[in-house]
Amino acid sequence: MTDRYCVFGNPIKHSKSPLIHGEFASQTQQAMTYTAELAPVEGFADAWRAFVAHGGRGANVTVPFKSDAFALCDTLSQRAKRAQAVNTLIVGGNGRIYGDTTDGVGLVRDLAYHRVALAGKRVLVLGAGGAVRGILEPLLAENPREVVVANRTADKAEQLAEAFADLGSIQGGGFVSVEGPFDVVINGTSASLSGELPPLPEALFAEGAWAYDMMYGSEPTVFLQWAGPQGAKLLDGLGMLVEQAAESFFLWRNVRPETASVRTLLRQSLNY
Ligand code: ATR
C-alpha cells in the first residue's frame, strides 16, 4: 500500500498543501499520496484514527485542529510542548503517535531564505494567539536583541512573554505601549483575514526594516499595504507555508526537498 499523508482542517478546500507536498514527492521520488481531508469540527480524533486505519502514515493539521492534535499524541517534541499545538503528526513504527510543530521553523527558514537578519535585532510580533505561540521558541533561538509581543488584549501578550522569558529577551503588552523603531515587524494576528489592521502606533520601522505578514492571499494584506509606504521591505506568509511543509516532509520521509521552485509555483497559482 502506498504511504498516505494528508492535511486535516475545516475548512480545507483551498489548502495549498496537496500541491506543495505533491511537488516535494515528485522532486524527491517518494512513493506517497497527499490529500486534503475535511474533518468535522467535533470529530478530529475519529477522522485521524480512520485515516491511520487506511494506511495513513502522517498528517499536517491546520485550523481548528492544532490543539486536538496536540491532545492525542503519545509523544511530543519539545517545541510542540512549548507551542501547545501540533501541526505535524507522525505514525511511528510501533503505531505510537508523535507530534511536532514546524510553523516556527518555517518562519525562521523563510526569513533566512530572504536574508532577513534576526541576531541582535529588535523584533516586534503582533498578536498573542496560537499562531504567535507557535513561532516564539524558534524566533528567540536566533538571538534577537529583543522580542516585543503586542496584542489587542494586553494581558495575553504579557502572559505569553512570561511563558517564554527563559529563552531570551521578550516583553509583552498592548499596542499603545509599543515603541519603535524595530528591524523586523511580524503580523501574527488574524486581523488580515477580515481585512483589518491592528491599531498600530507611528514610527515602528527602522531604516531598512522588514514587515512580515504570516498570512498571504491573492493580493498584499492590509498590514503590508500599510507598511509599504513607510519604507519597509515586505514579505507575506507564503514562504513560511512552503518551509513548514518542507520540515514536515523531512520528518516523515527523512529527505529534505528543495523549496525555491515550489515557492515560484505557488506564487504563480496566487496570481500576483
Ligand atoms: P490564531 O490561531 O490565528 O493565532 P487566535 O488564537 O484566535 O488565532 O488569535 C488571534 C489573534 O489575532 C489574537 O492575538 C487576537 O487578538 P486578541 O487576543 O485581542 O483577541 C488577534 N486579532 C484578531 N483580530 C484582530 C483585529 N481586528 N485587530 C487586532 N488584533 C486582532
Side-chain angles (χ1 to χ4, degrees), residues 127-132 151-153 156 175 188-191 196-199 215:
V132 167
N151 194 44
R152 184 171 60 183
T153 313
K156 277 169 71 181
F175 290 125
T189 70
S190 53
E196 289 174 309
L197 188 67
M215 300 277 170

Side-chain angles (χ1 to χ4, degrees), residues 119-140:
K121 302 295 184 185
R122 282 196 88 210
V123 180
L124 174 63
V125 179
L126 307 171
V132 167
R133 183 175 264 279
I135 62 161
L136 289 178
E137 179 174 353
L139 203 57
L140 286 163

Side-chain angles (χ1 to χ4, degrees), residues 38-79:
L38 181 74
V41 172
E42 299 296 334
F44 172 73
D46 287 344
W48 162 251
R49 278 191 283 269
F51 181 71
V52 174
H54 291 92
R57 305 290 307 145
N60 283 131
V61 182
T62 188
V63 179
F65 299 126
K66 289 183 184 183
S67 302
D68 294 336
F70 178 80
L72 65 70
C73 292
D74 298 309
T75 310
L76 292 160
S77 69
Q78 208 48 47
R79 59 194 185 191

